[in-house]
Amino acid sequence: FRDNDYFKKIKYFMAKIMNISEELDIYPEIKWDSHRIVEIKIYSHKSNILTDKQFELSKRISQIWYNLS
């Protein structure tokens, strides 16, 4: 992304993740650094396995990112 679009798109991307996370009642760890890297960790506090909701969140995050590029 160009610099002027970059911050707007990252803000949109993160807001969408937060909305979907709230809808699914899953709260991933999101890190964004100055090197334009976004790291998202999806894990469960309740068990050692990933649930269908977590896979759904992952799928929807991928779709958002794909649509932004």
Side-chain angles (χ1 to χ4, degrees):
F1 306 122
R2 285 178 271 140
D3 283 342
N4 57 347
D5 293 336
Y6 176 71
F7 289 105
K8 289 179 186 177
K9 289 186 178 189
I10 288 297
K11 183 178 174 183
Y12 172 82
F13 179 64
M14 293 178 115
K16 292 293 277 184
I17 292 172
M18 290 172 18
N19 289 338
I20 295 167
S21 297
E22 189 172 17
E23 173 190 324
L24 295 174
D25 195 30
I26 298 170
Y27 300 95
E29 181 180 316
I30 303 171
K31 291 182 182 180
W32 170 52
D33 71 17
S34 60
H35 299 288
R36 297 183 175 204
I37 296 172
V38 177
E39 181 181 330
I40 303 166
K41 292 182 181 180
I42 302 171
Y43 52 89
S44 175
H45 293 287
K46 296 179 182 178
S47 68
N48 291 329
I49 61 170
L50 295 175
T51 65
D52 289 341
K53 283 182 173 183
Q54 290 160 322
F55 282 109
E56 177 66 20
L57 175 61
S58 178
K59 180 178 109 182
R60 291 170 72 178
I61 289 170
S62 294
Q63 289 170 341
I64 296 164
W65 186 254
Y66 177 77
N67 290 334
L68 281 176
S69 352

